[in-house]
Amino acid sequence: MKKVWMVLLAVLGLAGLALAQTTVRVGVLLPISTVAGKAALNGVQLGVDQVNAGGKVKIELVVVDDGNTPATAVPALTKLMTVDRVDIVIGGLASGVTFALSGPVKQYQPLFLCIGAASSVVEQAFSDYNRFFHYHPWDYHNVAAALEFFKYLYDSGARRVAILYEDGPFGSAGIQTYRQQLERQGYTVQAEPFKSGSGSFTAILTRLKGFRPDILYWIGYDVDALPIAAQARQVGLEPKLIYGAPPAWPTGFEKNKLSNDIAGMTAWLPSVANNESRRFVNLYRRKFGEVTDEYMAPMGYVIALSLGKALEAAGSTDKDRVAAELAKVQMDTPFGPLSFKPSDTGRTRYQGFNQSIWLQFQYLEGSRRPVFPPSRSARPLRFPGNY
């Protein structure tokens, strides 16, 4: 009898060891040289550390740089699929790049966990792909959150909005909706496109000066933040509020005096008071020796943790079994609760977060402070701002 028990224990031990040794290689496709891409990669790595520490599954990352351009991203994805032979990819930060990836993703059929890419153009492009999990809110969620803030500004006396938007999928996809909704709120709107990264806004800002806007609202990327802040002053444009909507802000922007009183929207700041946010901040500081305020970091962290849960529940690295378990995931995160359901338009099957995670902030005294909605604000909005 003793011998039978020893054999049984040995079998169970081997089974436990086999589960502990379940390993999956996951491709990570991000613009690593950008602020948002680096933050996202740090978050993914931090989440993978937590998953691997649990001992039930092991994730190995294969990281490639998408260069923030379709010309680099498509070959990088092809390498992940054909050389590294991964079945799961975390990536898709910029909308233009992710739109370009839609064809190759459908060709190679990975489980694609999308970290950004808010444009509805991307939602349309992946509408018939059932291995697409989109965590970030869509642009119509962003519009809904921003419009709530703009209604507050209208009630505070603002009437005219000048919109600068980058002419790619990120900036231009929702611009007509923005314009119509703002006009419906009572605003008079003037909108102008620009080429992101050009660094030259003087001519456009001079035209907008004649419009005498109460709010200068720009939709672009981090490289546009400082030129717009500086050149608005150079041409004598003096709105009551400068409001930016890039995916990430430039590193150290808060230390530049030009940032003072500029407002924007983010999904998360280190000061967000919930247990998962505090846990993330502590883990991030311990691993990287600093605290980030880029929300792509906790977004990457959440994706890795949710994938770990799905892998553990699936007990397999088969991508369809993992996808089936990921669809069932419910977890608390630094942004609040996460679960997947069809997108609001019904085009995609698995949508994670919506407009509820957004908050408005303002650069005040060298840091970003939550100012809206009132239930999440740490300071009153300074309106009019001093530019």
Side-chain angles (χ1 to χ4, degrees), residues 7 77 93 119 145 153 182 211 227 246 263 290:
V7 171
L77 177 72
L93 198 153
S119 173
L153 295 174
L182 286 170
F211 177 61
E290 61 183 8

Side-chain angles (χ1 to χ4, degrees), residues 45-67:
Q45 290 176 329
L46 189 61
V48 167
D49 288 348
Q50 298 299 297
V51 172
N52 291 348
K56 295 182 178 177
V57 295
K58 182 179 180 182
I59 297 175
E60 294 180 355
L61 299 179
V62 183
V63 180
V64 293
D65 191 348
D66 75 9

Side-chain angles (χ1 to χ4, degrees), residues 177-234:
T177 301
Y178 260 123
R179 181 167 197 148
Q180 292 166 4
Q181 293 295 325
L182 286 170
E183 289 174 345
R184 194 169 297 168
Q185 286 187 348
Y187 282 106
T188 302
V189 180
Q190 181 170 329
E192 299 243 9
F194 70 89
K195 182 69 68 180
S196 182
S198 68
S200 179
F201 298 93
T202 302
I204 300 176
L205 292 169
T206 300
R207 285 198 298 276
L208 294 178
K209 180 182 176 183
F211 177 61
R212 295 180 289 105
D214 295 310
I215 302 168
L216 174 62
Y217 177 17
W218 65 270
I219 306 168
Y221 290 97
D222 56 334
V223 295
D224 306 313
L226 193 55
I228 289 175
Q231 292 169 32
R233 289 163 173 80
Q234 289 169 8

Side-chain angles (χ1 to χ4, degrees), residues 26-41:
V26 175
V28 179
L29 182 61
L30 292 167
I32 299 168
S33 60
T34 68
V35 174
K38 180 61 177 173
L41 178 59

Side-chain angles (χ1 to χ4, degrees), residues 124-138:
Q124 180 68 47
F126 282 92
S127 60
D128 57 349
Y129 190 65
N130 285 334
R131 293 184 179 133
F132 178 73
F133 283 72
H134 190 253
Y135 288 72
H136 194 283
W138 290 112

Side-chain angles (χ1 to χ4, degrees), residues 229-267:
Q231 292 169 32
R233 289 163 173 80
Q234 289 169 8
V235 304
L237 185 63
E238 296 179 339
K240 294 178 180 176
L241 191 69
I242 298 178
Y243 182 84
W249 292 81
T251 301
F253 187 60
E254 70 279 3
K255 304 303 180 188
N256 192 315
K257 291 183 179 178
L258 291 172
S259 72
N260 211 35
D261 289 358
I262 290 179
M265 187 164 71
T266 186

Side-chain angles (χ1 to χ4, degrees), residues 10-353:
V11 170
L12 290 173
L14 287 173
L17 183 59
L19 182 61
Q21 290 177 338
T22 298
T23 301
V24 61
R25 302 180 79 199
V26 175
V28 179
L29 182 61
L30 292 167
I32 299 168
S33 60
T34 68
V35 174
K38 180 61 177 173
L41 178 59
N42 284 351
V44 171
Q45 290 176 329
L46 189 61
V48 167
D49 288 348
Q50 298 299 297
V51 172
N52 291 348
K56 295 182 178 177
V57 295
K58 182 179 180 182
I59 297 175
E60 294 180 355
L61 299 179
V62 183
V63 180
V64 293
D65 191 348
D66 75 9
N68 212 27
T69 66
T72 303
V74 171
L77 177 72
T78 303
K79 173 185 176 295
L80 285 174
M81 297 293 100
T82 61
V83 178
D84 302 305
R85 296 190 177 280
V86 302
D87 282 331
I88 302 171
V89 175
I90 299 172
L93 198 153
S95 292
V97 171
T98 311
F99 177 76
L101 290 174
S102 59
V105 166
K106 292 175 184 175
Q107 176 185 351
Y108 293 110
Q109 299 280 306
L111 174 57
F112 191 58
L113 311 184
C114 189
I115 192 169
S119 173
S120 295
V121 175
V122 176
E123 185 187 22
Q124 180 68 47
F126 282 92
S127 60
D128 57 349
Y129 190 65
N130 285 334
R131 293 184 179 133
F132 178 73
F133 283 72
H134 190 253
Y135 288 72
H136 194 283
W138 290 112
D139 52 13
Y140 47 79
H141 295 134
N142 307 356
V143 170
L147 286 174
E148 185 181 357
F149 182 51
F150 275 78
K151 182 179 183 304
Y152 169 78
L153 295 174
Y154 187 89
D155 293 341
S156 301
R159 292 293 182 269
R160 302 164 75 86
V161 181
I163 303 178
L164 279 173
Y165 63 96
E166 69 94 22
D167 60 2
F170 173 69
S172 60
I175 190 63
Q176 292 308 321
T177 301
Y178 260 123
R179 181 167 197 148
Q180 292 166 4
Q181 293 295 325
L182 286 170
E183 289 174 345
R184 194 169 297 168
Q185 286 187 348
Y187 282 106
T188 302
V189 180
Q190 181 170 329
E192 299 243 9
F194 70 89
K195 182 69 68 180
S196 182
S198 68
S200 179
F201 298 93
T202 302
I204 300 176
L205 292 169
T206 300
R207 285 198 298 276
L208 294 178
K209 180 182 176 183
F211 177 61
R212 295 180 289 105
D214 295 310
I215 302 168
L216 174 62
Y217 177 17
W218 65 270
I219 306 168
Y221 290 97
D222 56 334
V223 295
D224 306 313
L226 193 55
I228 289 175
Q231 292 169 32
R233 289 163 173 80
Q234 289 169 8
V235 304
L237 185 63
E238 296 179 339
K240 294 178 180 176
L241 191 69
I242 298 178
Y243 182 84
W249 292 81
T251 301
F253 187 60
E254 70 279 3
K255 304 303 180 188
N256 192 315
K257 291 183 179 178
L258 291 172
S259 72
N260 211 35
D261 289 358
I262 290 179
M265 187 164 71
T266 186
W268 175 86
L269 287 171
S271 55
V272 168
N274 70 51
N275 289 337
E276 291 305 316
S277 179
R278 284 191 286 268
R279 171 178 164 80
F280 169 78
V281 169
N282 290 334
L283 291 171
Y284 195 96
R285 181 186 288 114
R286 193 180 308 160
K287 182 174 179 66
F288 299 107
E290 61 183 8
V291 177
T292 182
D293 58 359
E294 294 297 334
Y295 77 89
M296 279 296 168
M299 191 66 79
Y301 174 73
V302 167
I303 291 175
L305 290 185
S306 61
L307 175 59
K309 285 180 174 291
L311 285 165
E312 184 177 339
S316 165
T317 60
D318 177 83
K319 58 188 173 186
D320 287 324
R321 291 178 64 178
V322 176
E325 294 301 331
L326 187 58
K328 302 175 188 173
V329 162
Q330 296 187 24
M331 55 186 282
D332 291 327
T333 80
F335 305 102
L338 170 70
S339 62
F340 291 97
K341 59 183 180 180
S343 64
D344 290 5
T345 65
R347 290 173 178 159
T348 56
R349 193 169 178 181
Y350 303 113
Q351 174 60 35
F353 296 111

